PDB file of all heavy atoms in Angstrom:
ATOM      1  N   GLU A   1       0.835  -1.204   0.000  1.00 93.00           N
ATOM      2  CA  GLU A   1       0.000   0.000   0.000  1.00 93.00           C
ATOM      3  C   GLU A   1       0.870   1.254   0.000  1.00 93.00           C
ATOM      4  O   GLU A   1       1.784   1.396   0.828  1.00 93.00           O
ATOM      5  CB  GLU A   1      -0.909   0.014   1.225  1.00 93.00           C
ATOM      6  CG  GLU A   1      -2.041   1.024   1.166  1.00 93.00           C
ATOM      7  CD  GLU A   1      -3.110   0.633   0.151  1.00 93.00           C
ATOM      8  OE1 GLU A   1      -3.278  -0.576  -0.108  1.00 93.00           O
ATOM      9  OE2 GLU A   1      -3.763   1.543  -0.380  1.00 93.00           O
ATOM     10  N   GLY A   2       0.588   2.163  -0.923  1.00 94.00           N
ATOM     11  CA  GLY A   2       1.354   3.404  -1.005  1.00 94.00           C
ATOM     12  C   GLY A   2       2.714   3.255  -1.654  1.00 94.00           C
ATOM     13  O   GLY A   2       3.533   4.177  -1.587  1.00 94.00           O
ATOM     14  N   LYS A   3       2.959   2.119  -2.310  1.00 96.00           N
ATOM     15  CA  LYS A   3       4.236   1.887  -2.990  1.00 96.00           C
ATOM     16  C   LYS A   3       3.985   1.541  -4.451  1.00 96.00           C
ATOM     17  O   LYS A   3       3.028   0.839  -4.777  1.00 96.00           O
ATOM     18  CB  LYS A   3       5.026   0.754  -2.332  1.00 96.00           C
ATOM     19  CG  LYS A   3       5.385   0.988  -0.861  1.00 96.00           C
ATOM     20  CD  LYS A   3       6.188  -0.172  -0.327  1.00 96.00           C
ATOM     21  CE  LYS A   3       6.624   0.040   1.120  1.00 96.00           C
ATOM     22  NZ  LYS A   3       5.497  -0.107   2.048  1.00 96.00           N
ATOM     23  N   ARG A   4       4.861   2.018  -5.306  1.00 96.00           N
ATOM     24  CA  ARG A   4       4.801   1.692  -6.737  1.00 96.00           C
ATOM     25  C   ARG A   4       6.128   1.096  -7.153  1.00 96.00           C
ATOM     26  O   ARG A   4       7.165   1.764  -7.072  1.00 96.00           O
ATOM     27  CB  ARG A   4       4.513   2.945  -7.564  1.00 96.00           C
ATOM     28  CG  ARG A   4       4.336   2.666  -9.059  1.00 96.00           C
ATOM     29  CD  ARG A   4       4.105   3.939  -9.856  1.00 96.00           C
ATOM     30  NE  ARG A   4       5.321   4.730  -9.997  1.00 96.00           N
ATOM     31  CZ  ARG A   4       6.241   4.537 -10.947  1.00 96.00           C
ATOM     32  NH1 ARG A   4       6.096   3.553 -11.828  1.00 96.00           N
ATOM     33  NH2 ARG A   4       7.311   5.308 -11.022  1.00 96.00           N
ATOM     34  N   LEU A   5       6.101  -0.181  -7.549  1.00 98.00           N
ATOM     35  CA  LEU A   5       7.335  -0.827  -7.999  1.00 98.00           C
ATOM     36  C   LEU A   5       7.840  -0.154  -9.267  1.00 98.00           C
ATOM     37  O   LEU A   5       7.076   0.091 -10.201  1.00 98.00           O
ATOM     38  CB  LEU A   5       7.103  -2.312  -8.276  1.00 98.00           C
ATOM     39  CG  LEU A   5       6.881  -3.259  -7.090  1.00 98.00           C
ATOM     40  CD1 LEU A   5       6.836  -4.691  -7.594  1.00 98.00           C
ATOM     41  CD2 LEU A   5       7.955  -3.103  -6.036  1.00 98.00           C
ATOM     42  N   THR A   6       9.131   0.146  -9.297  1.00 98.00           N
ATOM     43  CA  THR A   6       9.751   0.723 -10.484  1.00 98.00           C
ATOM     44  C   THR A   6      10.753  -0.242 -11.130  1.00 98.00           C
ATOM     45  O   THR A   6      11.075  -0.088 -12.308  1.00 98.00           O
ATOM     46  CB  THR A   6      10.469   2.038 -10.144  1.00 98.00           C
ATOM     47  OG1 THR A   6      11.459   1.795  -9.131  1.00 98.00           O
ATOM     48  CG2 THR A   6       9.473   3.075  -9.624  1.00 98.00           C
ATOM     49  N   GLU A   7      11.215  -1.213 -10.364  1.00 98.00           N
ATOM     50  CA  GLU A   7      12.161  -2.192 -10.904  1.00 98.00           C
ATOM     51  C   GLU A   7      12.215  -3.375  -9.960  1.00 98.00           C
ATOM     52  O   GLU A   7      12.081  -3.222  -8.740  1.00 98.00           O
ATOM     53  CB  GLU A   7      13.548  -1.568 -11.051  1.00 98.00           C
ATOM     54  CG  GLU A   7      14.534  -2.404 -11.842  1.00 98.00           C
ATOM     55  CD  GLU A   7      15.830  -1.678 -12.157  1.00 98.00           C
ATOM     56  OE1 GLU A   7      15.947  -0.475 -11.825  1.00 98.00           O
ATOM     57  OE2 GLU A   7      16.738  -2.303 -12.738  1.00 98.00           O
ATOM     58  N   TYR A   8      12.381  -4.574 -10.519  1.00 98.00           N
ATOM     59  CA  TYR A   8      12.574  -5.749  -9.663  1.00 98.00           C
ATOM     60  C   TYR A   8      13.318  -6.830 -10.436  1.00 98.00           C
ATOM     61  O   TYR A   8      13.358  -6.830 -11.667  1.00 98.00           O
ATOM     62  CB  TYR A   8      11.240  -6.273  -9.111  1.00 98.00           C
ATOM     63  CG  TYR A   8      10.321  -6.926 -10.123  1.00 98.00           C
ATOM     64  CD1 TYR A   8      10.372  -8.297 -10.360  1.00 98.00           C
ATOM     65  CD2 TYR A   8       9.380  -6.176 -10.827  1.00 98.00           C
ATOM     66  CE1 TYR A   8       9.529  -8.896 -11.276  1.00 98.00           C
ATOM     67  CE2 TYR A   8       8.532  -6.774 -11.750  1.00 98.00           C
ATOM     68  CZ  TYR A   8       8.608  -8.135 -11.954  1.00 98.00           C
ATOM     69  OH  TYR A   8       7.771  -8.731 -12.869  1.00 98.00           O
ATOM     70  N   ALA A   9      13.903  -7.742  -9.674  1.00 98.00           N
ATOM     71  CA  ALA A   9      14.640  -8.861 -10.263  1.00 98.00           C
ATOM     72  C   ALA A   9      14.435 -10.089  -9.386  1.00 98.00           C
ATOM     73  O   ALA A   9      14.323  -9.980  -8.155  1.00 98.00           O
ATOM     74  CB  ALA A   9      16.128  -8.534 -10.373  1.00 98.00           C
ATOM     75  N   ILE A  10      14.367 -11.251 -10.009  1.00 98.00           N
ATOM     76  CA  ILE A  10      14.194 -12.511  -9.288  1.00 98.00           C
ATOM     77  C   ILE A  10      15.185 -13.528  -9.847  1.00 98.00           C
ATOM     78  O   ILE A  10      15.320 -13.674 -11.073  1.00 98.00           O
ATOM     79  CB  ILE A  10      12.764 -13.066  -9.433  1.00 98.00           C
ATOM     80  CG1 ILE A  10      11.728 -12.036  -8.976  1.00 98.00           C
ATOM     81  CG2 ILE A  10      12.608 -14.357  -8.624  1.00 98.00           C
ATOM     82  CD1 ILE A  10      10.286 -12.442  -9.269  1.00 98.00           C
ATOM     83  N   SER A  11      15.872 -14.234  -8.952  1.00 98.00           N
ATOM     84  CA  SER A  11      16.739 -15.350  -9.332  1.00 98.00           C
ATOM     85  C   SER A  11      16.092 -16.640  -8.841  1.00 98.00           C
ATOM     86  O   SER A  11      15.747 -16.752  -7.653  1.00 98.00           O
ATOM     87  CB  SER A  11      18.130 -15.196  -8.706  1.00 98.00           C
ATOM     88  OG  SER A  11      18.806 -14.081  -9.249  1.00 98.00           O
ATOM     89  N   PHE A  12      15.926 -17.598  -9.732  1.00 98.00           N
ATOM     90  CA  PHE A  12      15.280 -18.876  -9.413  1.00 98.00           C
ATOM     91  C   PHE A  12      16.390 -19.897  -9.149  1.00 98.00           C
ATOM     92  O   PHE A  12      17.099 -20.300 -10.081  1.00 98.00           O
ATOM     93  CB  PHE A  12      14.379 -19.303 -10.554  1.00 98.00           C
ATOM     94  CG  PHE A  12      13.405 -18.216 -10.968  1.00 98.00           C
ATOM     95  CD1 PHE A  12      13.712 -17.347 -12.018  1.00 98.00           C
ATOM     96  CD2 PHE A  12      12.209 -18.042 -10.300  1.00 98.00           C
ATOM     97  CE1 PHE A  12      12.831 -16.350 -12.397  1.00 98.00           C
ATOM     98  CE2 PHE A  12      11.318 -17.044 -10.662  1.00 98.00           C
ATOM     99  CZ  PHE A  12      11.622 -16.190 -11.711  1.00 98.00           C
ATOM    100  N   LEU A  13      16.528 -20.315  -7.901  1.00 97.00           N
ATOM    101  CA  LEU A  13      17.683 -21.117  -7.504  1.00 97.00           C
ATOM    102  C   LEU A  13      17.374 -22.612  -7.396  1.00 97.00           C
ATOM    103  O   LEU A  13      18.095 -23.437  -7.943  1.00 97.00           O
ATOM    104  CB  LEU A  13      18.227 -20.595  -6.171  1.00 97.00           C
ATOM    105  CG  LEU A  13      18.578 -19.098  -6.151  1.00 97.00           C
ATOM    106  CD1 LEU A  13      19.041 -18.667  -4.768  1.00 97.00           C
ATOM    107  CD2 LEU A  13      19.635 -18.784  -7.199  1.00 97.00           C
ATOM    108  N   ARG A  14      16.320 -22.967  -6.660  1.00 96.00           N
ATOM    109  CA  ARG A  14      15.914 -24.369  -6.522  1.00 96.00           C
ATOM    110  C   ARG A  14      14.397 -24.437  -6.582  1.00 96.00           C
ATOM    111  O   ARG A  14      13.707 -23.672  -5.905  1.00 96.00           O
ATOM    112  CB  ARG A  14      16.387 -24.972  -5.186  1.00 96.00           C
ATOM    113  CG  ARG A  14      17.875 -25.182  -5.074  1.00 96.00           C
ATOM    114  CD  ARG A  14      18.236 -25.817  -3.726  1.00 96.00           C
ATOM    115  NE  ARG A  14      19.671 -26.000  -3.587  1.00 96.00           N
ATOM    116  CZ  ARG A  14      20.518 -25.054  -3.162  1.00 96.00           C
ATOM    117  NH1 ARG A  14      20.037 -23.848  -2.847  1.00 96.00           N
ATOM    118  NH2 ARG A  14      21.803 -25.294  -3.054  1.00 96.00           N
ATOM    119  N   GLU A  15      13.889 -25.354  -7.388  1.00 94.00           N
ATOM    120  CA  GLU A  15      12.452 -25.482  -7.536  1.00 94.00           C
ATOM    121  C   GLU A  15      11.805 -25.916  -6.218  1.00 94.00           C
ATOM    122  O   GLU A  15      12.414 -26.633  -5.427  1.00 94.00           O
ATOM    123  CB  GLU A  15      12.124 -26.494  -8.632  1.00 94.00           C
ATOM    124  CG  GLU A  15      12.598 -26.055 -10.018  1.00 94.00           C
ATOM    125  CD  GLU A  15      12.546 -27.171 -11.042  1.00 94.00           C
ATOM    126  OE1 GLU A  15      12.852 -28.322 -10.675  1.00 94.00           O
ATOM    127  OE2 GLU A  15      12.207 -26.886 -12.205  1.00 94.00           O
ATOM    128  N   ALA A  16      10.578 -25.473  -6.000  1.00 97.00           N
ATOM    129  CA  ALA A  16       9.827 -25.835  -4.797  1.00 97.00           C
ATOM    130  C   ALA A  16       8.554 -26.558  -5.221  1.00 97.00           C
ATOM    131  O   ALA A  16       7.874 -26.137  -6.166  1.00 97.00           O
ATOM    132  CB  ALA A  16       9.486 -24.592  -3.983  1.00 97.00           C
ATOM    133  N   GLY A  17       8.245 -27.649  -4.545  1.00 96.00           N
ATOM    134  CA  GLY A  17       7.074 -28.448  -4.887  1.00 96.00           C
ATOM    135  C   GLY A  17       5.950 -28.279  -3.880  1.00 96.00           C
ATOM    136  O   GLY A  17       6.125 -27.684  -2.806  1.00 96.00           O
ATOM    137  N   GLU A  18       4.792 -28.800  -4.237  1.00 97.00           N
ATOM    138  CA  GLU A  18       3.633 -28.724  -3.353  1.00 97.00           C
ATOM    139  C   GLU A  18       3.959 -29.337  -1.993  1.00 97.00           C
ATOM    140  O   GLU A  18       4.572 -30.398  -1.902  1.00 97.00           O
ATOM    141  CB  GLU A  18       2.449 -29.465  -3.984  1.00 97.00           C
ATOM    142  CG  GLU A  18       1.191 -29.421  -3.131  1.00 97.00           C
ATOM    143  CD  GLU A  18       0.059 -30.246  -3.715  1.00 97.00           C
ATOM    144  OE1 GLU A  18       0.260 -30.871  -4.793  1.00 97.00           O
ATOM    145  OE2 GLU A  18      -1.017 -30.281  -3.097  1.00 97.00           O
ATOM    146  N   GLY A  19       3.571 -28.646  -0.929  1.00 97.00           N
ATOM    147  CA  GLY A  19       3.814 -29.121   0.419  1.00 97.00           C
ATOM    148  C   GLY A  19       5.077 -28.577   1.051  1.00 97.00           C
ATOM    149  O   GLY A  19       5.217 -28.604   2.282  1.00 97.00           O
ATOM    150  N   GLU A  20       6.015 -28.088   0.234  1.00 97.00           N
ATOM    151  CA  GLU A  20       7.213 -27.469   0.793  1.00 97.00           C
ATOM    152  C   GLU A  20       6.877 -26.075   1.315  1.00 97.00           C
ATOM    153  O   GLU A  20       5.912 -25.438   0.881  1.00 97.00           O
ATOM    154  CB  GLU A  20       8.329 -27.405  -0.245  1.00 97.00           C
ATOM    155  CG  GLU A  20       8.858 -28.778  -0.631  1.00 97.00           C
ATOM    156  CD  GLU A  20      10.154 -28.704  -1.408  1.00 97.00           C
ATOM    157  OE1 GLU A  20      10.104 -28.319  -2.593  1.00 97.00           O
ATOM    158  OE2 GLU A  20      11.210 -29.039  -0.834  1.00 97.00           O
ATOM    159  N   VAL A  21       7.690 -25.610   2.251  1.00 98.00           N
ATOM    160  CA  VAL A  21       7.451 -24.310   2.874  1.00 98.00           C
ATOM    161  C   VAL A  21       8.665 -23.419   2.660  1.00 98.00           C
ATOM    162  O   VAL A  21       9.799 -23.826   2.953  1.00 98.00           O
ATOM    163  CB  VAL A  21       7.161 -24.456   4.385  1.00 98.00           C
ATOM    164  CG1 VAL A  21       6.990 -23.091   5.033  1.00 98.00           C
ATOM    165  CG2 VAL A  21       5.919 -25.309   4.610  1.00 98.00           C
ATOM    166  N   LEU A  22       8.424 -22.229   2.142  1.00 98.00           N
ATOM    167  CA  LEU A  22       9.488 -21.253   1.965  1.00 98.00           C
ATOM    168  C   LEU A  22       9.554 -20.344   3.184  1.00 98.00           C
ATOM    169  O   LEU A  22       8.547 -19.719   3.560  1.00 98.00           O
ATOM    170  CB  LEU A  22       9.234 -20.404   0.715  1.00 98.00           C
ATOM    171  CG  LEU A  22       9.394 -21.109  -0.631  1.00 98.00           C
ATOM    172  CD1 LEU A  22       8.772 -20.273  -1.741  1.00 98.00           C
ATOM    173  CD2 LEU A  22      10.868 -21.373  -0.929  1.00 98.00           C
ATOM    174  N   SER A  23      10.710 -20.282   3.811  1.00 98.00           N
ATOM    175  CA  SER A  23      10.944 -19.334   4.902  1.00 98.00           C
ATOM    176  C   SER A  23      11.469 -18.046   4.286  1.00 98.00           C
ATOM    177  O   SER A  23      12.530 -18.045   3.649  1.00 98.00           O
ATOM    178  CB  SER A  23      11.958 -19.901   5.904  1.00 98.00           C
ATOM    179  OG  SER A  23      11.450 -21.072   6.514  1.00 98.00           O
ATOM    180  N   ILE A  24      10.715 -16.966   4.453  1.00 98.00           N
ATOM    181  CA  ILE A  24      11.024 -15.701   3.793  1.00 98.00           C
ATOM    182  C   ILE A  24      11.818 -14.794   4.727  1.00 98.00           C
ATOM    183  O   ILE A  24      11.456 -14.619   5.901  1.00 98.00           O
ATOM    184  CB  ILE A  24       9.740 -14.975   3.340  1.00 98.00           C
ATOM    185  CG1 ILE A  24       8.839 -15.922   2.535  1.00 98.00           C
ATOM    186  CG2 ILE A  24      10.085 -13.730   2.544  1.00 98.00           C
ATOM    187  CD1 ILE A  24       9.434 -16.426   1.261  1.00 98.00           C
ATOM    188  N   GLU A  25      12.908 -14.234   4.197  1.00 98.00           N
ATOM    189  CA  GLU A  25      13.713 -13.252   4.925  1.00 98.00           C
ATOM    190  C   GLU A  25      13.851 -12.008   4.054  1.00 98.00           C
ATOM    191  O   GLU A  25      13.955 -12.123   2.831  1.00 98.00           O
ATOM    192  CB  GLU A  25      15.103 -13.807   5.238  1.00 98.00           C
ATOM    193  CG  GLU A  25      15.108 -15.056   6.103  1.00 98.00           C
ATOM    194  CD  GLU A  25      16.524 -15.603   6.238  1.00 98.00           C
ATOM    195  OE1 GLU A  25      17.051 -16.090   5.210  1.00 98.00           O
ATOM    196  OE2 GLU A  25      17.089 -15.503   7.342  1.00 98.00           O
TER     197      GLU A  25
END
């Protein structure tokens, strides 16, 4: 809210499957 993305980048390192949990930092 109140933010407009102007640029972003994503690196895909290891695939994640159904049931796995990503710990976000």
